[in-house]
Amino acid sequence: MSTSVSIKNISDKSRITSLINEKPLKILNPKTHTKACHIVSSNYGGGMVQGDVVELDINCEANTKTLFSTQANSRIYKSDNGDSCTLTQNIKLDTESLFVQLNDPLILQKDSSLNQQSIFNLNNGAALIYCDWIGGGRIHMGEIWDFKAFSSSTEIYLGTKPVVLDRFEIQPDKQQCTSPALFHHHTSFINLFIVGKKQDIRIEVIEQMISATIDKLRTKKQEQKPKLLISGERINDDVFIMRASAQELTTLKDIMEELGVCFKHESLLEYNPYERKF
């Protein structure tokens, strides 16, 4: 059985009409002062432990606005018996709906293992903003690339048309993660997927903000060990992707906080979700 959420537009406000929680996941629904619905992913045990299987289904009906965030950093704890955790989410967006998923960093602790899969299905006119944020361990405790394995798959469809298939897999004990060919001195990474029609005002607002932020951060000075690497590219008429990596998690936190301003736009959430969070 999976955790499931249904969201509907009622009197021009997006509201949860059905919610089923299945341990260890718990969905919270804090009130908002706008038309958007805010759902928050929480956890009974503070994170996922060996063998945990989490399935989440979210159905956003037509003309809804939804913000999906996490309560804090998502922690994957050590596996004593070698069993991996599994996290699968299926998100369905109906006509003209907006879904914004802003995850806090996923922190894989020593000897942990996780398989993650995210599948998004968008109907005509829907818009998606999805932030996938990963940390290489509890850096402040000296844990860097000490987890056993991590795999991630992101699939995004517009109708029946696949527009994104992004896969990543790492096994630190079999790869030299600090090699310049891999992560070198960087320990925190963000993939930000912006999906929807290029002419959609919601897409234009976030894309312009990302491009402006990247332009401001770029420097002509070439550092031997740059603290931040960031790029943003429109790969087709339906998808814009920003990728960033940094030495420290706080560097990426500052970038996401800056991007949060654009969500105040009336076509998006009408408020900055980071103002009270950080």
Side-chain angles (χ1 to χ4, degrees), residues 79-140:
S79 175
D80 291 323
N81 61 9
D83 287 348
S84 178
C85 300
T86 301
L87 173 61
T88 303
Q89 63 173 26
N90 288 279
I91 317 294
K92 295 181 180 179
L93 309 181
D94 208 342
T95 306
E96 299 299 329
S97 60
L98 168 69
F99 188 81
V100 179
Q101 182 169 351
L102 300 176
N103 293 333
D104 289 299
L106 176 67
I107 306 298
L108 291 106
Q109 298 188 6
K110 185 177 181 179
D111 294 328
S112 64
S113 181
L114 174 68
N115 297 316
Q116 172 181 277
Q117 183 178 30
S118 299
I119 303 172
F120 300 90
N121 289 277
L122 284 65
N123 278 349
N124 184 46
L128 168 68
I129 301 166
Y130 170 50
C131 174
D132 189 20
W133 191 349
I134 304 161
R138 294 179 292 184
I139 309 302
H140 64 287

Side-chain angles (χ1 to χ4, degrees), residues 99-102 116 118 120 122 127-134 152-156 163-168 190-196 203 206 210 233-235 238-243 256 263:
F99 188 81
V100 179
Q101 182 169 351
L102 300 176
Q116 172 181 277
S118 299
F120 300 90
L122 284 65
L128 168 68
I129 301 166
Y130 170 50
C131 174
D132 189 20
W133 191 349
I134 304 161
S152 177
S153 173
T154 300
E155 301 176 25
I156 305 176
V163 293
V164 171
L165 178 54
D166 193 81
R167 288 177 176 165
F168 174 80
I190 281 179
N191 294 313
L192 186 62
F193 301 92
I194 316 298
V195 183
I203 302 300
I206 184 71
I210 291 173
E233 201 71 44
R234 173 159 288 281
I235 63 174
D238 302 313
V239 182
F240 181 93
I241 299 177
M242 184 196 87
R243 300 188 192 272
M256 292 307 299
F263 291 107

Side-chain angles (χ1 to χ4, degrees), residues 191-204:
N191 294 313
L192 186 62
F193 301 92
I194 316 298
V195 183
K197 294 301 179 184
K198 186 177 180 179
Q199 300 80 8
D200 189 324
I201 182 62
R202 300 169 295 184
I203 302 300
E204 289 181 352

Side-chain angles (χ1 to χ4, degrees), residues 45 86 148 158 197 231 259:
T86 301
K148 291 180 180 178
L158 284 176
K197 294 301 179 184
S231 66
L259 292 178

Side-chain angles (χ1 to χ4, degrees), residues 11-216:
S11 300
D12 203 30
K13 292 184 179 180
S14 300
R15 296 293 181 259
I16 289 179
T17 56
S18 174
L19 172 59
I20 300 173
N21 279 314
E22 183 71 15
K23 292 182 179 179
L25 190 64
K26 184 176 182 180
I27 298 295
L28 308 176
N29 181 216
K31 291 183 178 180
T32 68
H33 57 280
T34 71
K35 299 175 182 178
C37 177
H38 187 188
I39 56 177
V40 179
S41 172
S42 183
N43 195 294
Y44 286 95
M48 297 180 70
V49 298
Q50 58 190 31
D52 273 352
V53 177
V54 173
E55 296 182 5
L56 172 63
D57 297 320
I58 301 177
N59 182 40
C60 300
E61 297 191 19
N63 300 299
T64 54
K65 290 183 178 182
T66 305
L67 168 64
F68 180 30
S69 63
T70 46
Q71 196 172 33
N73 292 355
S74 300
R75 295 171 177 83
I76 312 300
Y77 295 113
K78 67 182 291 187
S79 175
D80 291 323
N81 61 9
D83 287 348
S84 178
C85 300
T86 301
L87 173 61
T88 303
Q89 63 173 26
N90 288 279
I91 317 294
K92 295 181 180 179
L93 309 181
D94 208 342
T95 306
E96 299 299 329
S97 60
L98 168 69
F99 188 81
V100 179
Q101 182 169 351
L102 300 176
N103 293 333
D104 289 299
L106 176 67
I107 306 298
L108 291 106
Q109 298 188 6
K110 185 177 181 179
D111 294 328
S112 64
S113 181
L114 174 68
N115 297 316
Q116 172 181 277
Q117 183 178 30
S118 299
I119 303 172
F120 300 90
N121 289 277
L122 284 65
N123 278 349
N124 184 46
L128 168 68
I129 301 166
Y130 170 50
C131 174
D132 189 20
W133 191 349
I134 304 161
R138 294 179 292 184
I139 309 302
H140 64 287
M141 297 180 62
E143 285 184 12
I144 305 176
W145 311 119
D146 285 335
F147 56 87
K148 291 180 180 178
F150 172 66
S151 66
S152 177
S153 173
T154 300
E155 301 176 25
I156 305 176
Y157 300 86
L158 284 176
T160 60
K161 175 185 174 183
V163 293
V164 171
L165 178 54
D166 193 81
R167 288 177 176 165
F168 174 80
E169 184 172 354
I170 180 173
Q171 293 178 286
D173 61 340
K174 296 180 180 179
Q175 297 164 286
Q176 190 177 351
C177 294
T178 56
S179 164
L182 287 179
F183 308 112
H184 203 15
H185 56 289
H186 285 200
T187 61
S188 190
F189 311 88
I190 281 179
N191 294 313
L192 186 62
F193 301 92
I194 316 298
V195 183
K197 294 301 179 184
K198 186 177 180 179
Q199 300 80 8
D200 189 324
I201 182 62
R202 300 169 295 184
I203 302 300
E204 289 181 352
V205 169
I206 184 71
E207 184 176 338
Q208 289 172 6
M209 186 67 177
I210 291 173
S211 298
T213 301
I214 291 174
D215 288 342
K216 185 170 68 173

